[in-house]
Amino acid sequence: MSEAVSRRSALRLIAAAGTAGTAVGAAACAPGVPPGAGAPEAPPPAAPATEAKGAARIDALLERLTLDEKTALLHGARDPASLGQAGYVPGVPRLGIPALRLADGPAGVRVARPATALPAPVLLASAFDPALAREYGRVIGREGRALGQDVLLAPMVNLIRTPYAGRNFETFAEDPHLTADLVGEMIRGIQDEGLIATVKHFALNNQEHGRDTVDVIAAEQTLHETELRGFEAAVAAGAGAVMGAYNKVNGVHACESKPLLDELLRGSWGFDGWVMSDWDATHSTVAAIGAGLDMEMPGGTHFGGPLREAVRGGSVPESAVDLAVHRILAAMDRFGLLAARPAARPPRDSAAGARTARKVATAGAVLLRNEHGTLPLTGAAARSIAVIGPTGQVPFVGGGGSAQVVPDGAAAPLTAIRKRAGNGAAVHYALGEDVYGRPLPAKLLTPAAGLDDRAVAPGRVWSHEGEFRLTADDEWTLLVHYTGKRPVVRLDGEELFPVRQGVAEYFAGGLLGSAPDGMSVRRRTLALTAGTHRLAVTAEGGDKGQRFRLRHTTGAIRAADLAEAVRTATSAHSVVLFAYEDATEGRDRTSLALPGGQERLIEAVAAANPRTTVVLNTSSSTTMPWLARTGAVLQMYYPGQEGAGATADLLFGDVDPGGRLTQTFPADERATPVGGDPLRYPGVGGRQQYSEGVHVGHRWYDAQRVTPLFPFGHGLSYTTWHYEKLTVRPQRGGLRVEFTVRNTGRRKGTEVAQVYVGPSRELELDQPVRALAGYRRLVLAPGEAQRVTVDIGARALSSWDPERHAWVLGSGRREVFAGRSSRELPLRSKAVVTSR
């Protein structure tokens, strides 16, 4: 079926799903959770009397609010007593309406004070455990309240559509079904604790490249079967707020799209919270409020003075302002913020937060490769270990941008490995690659200057200009570390570290953006020719004074670090090599390869010692030309503040790696759902098409018969598993799938049993070759077997019909598969799906 979008269908976009109940049954509208994982709970309905009383209270407040006060509630402002959060909306003290503080929080509460730095959501998702997602949400919910916040700007539920997207670590998966399960439970957890959750970014914000301007063109069926599933689940879970995206959707800015905000979100799904813009994503006054945007963040460019003028001039009815204010106040009332005596804020429970952080990090870790029993480290392998790589010594807690959290503390993996190995073990370390630079040689510059730790007093300016000479061409990386205004560094007249526009200036990465001592870092790599070069540095002390240092790496330094790593690896029985990729909001990746000289480092170390385990602290899928040389690969993503202890637990086999990939790892960058097609990614002329249709992620690999490096759902265990005795039978418009999983090894282990369903021949709609329909996380003792039951609801068996604007059940004979990943499915059967 063609995925072209006509002007008429673009305007309609994703019309009401109100007829879906007649097509698939009313119960099919709520995405399900696998048996045993915690059934989805709709938010408890308010008692009629309570609901009426709340509505009357809000109506009374509206009558007393002036137009100035109303519009002040519809946009952000400067917080006079900021806690370091992302946003602030002033209240109306004379009427008892409190201010709102809004904090980022996909992986913990992002304020100026310490909070539990949880593992990245993609690592949480890899556990395939909705109950754990709820626990994760509860930690954030409690801490948000404890840290003075009212609204959490999370979770992010946009799908992992392209492996290049800079924020893939902040979201869950490439799969719509898994995403819907997890976001619903995470929202319930956040809001269990009284914090308002904001699901974002509505909709199709699946890349950072051109995110402010790109026009995303997606057909109706594509939207409903992929990106919108998670948002619908968030609404069903009772999310208090929705954040509109930066991009356009089918020709209209998401924050002024009536089909999205009014017709779909409120009309079809019944959302009763409020919609805020992403920061500076509001582009109009009349169109935005008319489409259903309630709040402009972070300021009042459009919803401040211009909105008041529009009301007074008659282009916006005051009733539209009243409706937006009513939605905000209703959500505040629902969470007790308008109560005469609001609930007391709880204290932080940092110990409980740390326990959950470690639990998530171990549960979601994915063992991608394990040859010849490289892991777990036992016996001689545990007594002689070489730890290599910069993130072995510097903990990589989280990605950059909105996800950065000030942790209570974070140990280095090297420390945790030494502790776990014990006093009788030899654990040696080699840097492998220097990411923060070495001091410049004392006699490099003429005239000389000390640039490794220079203090500049308040109100003063320090500058120096000198020359240095290279005897041969070389590649240098120059780095500036600083505590105040960034020093100006010029090499041969060129400014090396200019201030960049927008978020690119502030979001510099979770690892590389700051040094271990907290100083901000910027770096620049250049090919320098033999001869004389001029270096000039100017630094301002500002109001508070500052410290800075200038550092570098050269070809000789890199070669020496590599040689030391190889020597260290050769002298040890086993190697644990930490590799990284530092992703951040504000920019996409330019390659799926590991950055810097890491590929060369892995190749050299693994050649010297084949018992090398590579631990990946990366944001998303990674290409691995070095894979065949390694003994094991452990995917840890960004593991949070307890990542070091969790990594040691996994390396030494104290826990079984129970994570499974929530995104496909491609064998080649050109062989991805968006590879080689610039119209799909990053877009051409500001326009992008989701022409892959419903075939997102693993569905595309199946449809195109492309073999990935690692498939969706893949993950190894320290034990072995056997699947048998599959039965499938129809039930109430769905299917009941049963099979037996047996632990056939000698260790207790964790398995994620997965169920996929094939297409219906009775539907003349584009359908996946196989779609994830259910899963079950199991923990079994050696020799233990468990009979697994997975109920597949009507929604998982349905497709969106753009002619009927409804979900339509794919009846008839359907093939069902069960196994360990999307490509390892030893069990298959068929059953007839009926609408009764």
Side-chain angles (χ1 to χ4, degrees), residues 527-546:
L528 298 185
T529 58
T532 301
H533 297 272
R534 294 197 64 80
L535 183 70
V537 182
T538 301
E540 299 178 16
D543 295 337
K544 300 179 180 179
Q546 76 154 317

Side-chain angles (χ1 to χ4, degrees), residues 661-685:
L661 290 181
T662 67
Q663 57 191 306
T664 307
F665 277 37
D668 188 301
E669 292 200 35
R670 295 164 293 185
T672 76
V674 299
D677 187 345
L679 196 54
R680 288 188 184 178
Y681 176 82
V684 176

Side-chain angles (χ1 to χ4, degrees), residues 23-71:
V24 303
C29 293
V33 177
E41 302 168 14
T50 303
E51 194 173 69
K53 186 182 294 184
R57 180 164 56 248
I58 293 163
D59 288 341
L61 286 171
L62 273 169
E63 288 182 4
R64 298 176 64 191
L65 286 165
T66 66
L67 180 61
D68 285 357
E69 289 170 335
K70 290 174 187 176
T71 56

Side-chain angles (χ1 to χ4, degrees), residues 465-641:
E465 186 170 346
E467 293 184 346
F468 66 95
R469 182 172 181 79
L470 296 183
T471 58
D473 294 352
D474 199 357
E475 182 181 84
W476 275 40
T477 297
L478 280 164
L479 306 95
V480 61
H481 301 208
Y482 56 98
T483 62
K485 180 180 178 181
R486 183 155 71 243
V488 175
V489 180
R490 289 188 171 89
L491 183 66
D492 298 328
E494 179 187 0
E495 187 174 349
L496 297 185
F497 312 108
V499 174
R500 295 180 289 179
Q501 294 297 312
V503 296
E505 172 60 25
Y506 300 101
F507 297 156
L511 173 73
L512 303 179
S514 59
D517 63 358
M519 294 178 82
S520 298
V521 176
R522 294 294 186 271
R523 54 183 51 71
R524 179 83 176 271
T525 299
L526 308 116
L528 298 185
T529 58
T532 301
H533 297 272
R534 294 197 64 80
L535 183 70
V537 182
T538 301
E540 299 178 16
D543 295 337
K544 300 179 180 179
Q546 76 154 317
R547 290 173 46 238
F548 79 91
R549 54 189 176 233
L550 195 66
R551 293 194 169 186
H552 78 314
T553 58
T554 66
I557 290 172
R558 286 187 283 272
D561 287 344
L562 181 64
E564 181 195 13
V566 169
R567 287 194 300 271
T568 305
T570 303
S571 64
H573 183 282
S574 52
V575 177
V576 180
L577 191 157
F578 286 83
Y580 72 90
E581 178 262 318
D582 192 8
T584 182
E585 178 180 356
R587 68 170 183 260
D588 283 346
R589 303 162 73 189
T590 57
S591 169
L592 303 189
L594 293 170
Q598 292 183 96
E599 289 191 348
R600 185 168 61 250
L601 174 66
I602 294 171
E603 291 276 6
V605 167
N609 189 334
R611 295 178 298 278
T612 294
T613 295
V614 176
V615 178
L616 292 172
N617 292 134
T618 54
S619 68
S620 192
S621 56
T622 304
T623 52
M624 305 180 193
W626 39 264
L627 181 66
R629 287 186 178 271
T630 64
V633 179
L634 180 64
Q635 177 68 54
M636 291 297 298
Y637 294 109
Y638 299 153
Q641 69 180 50

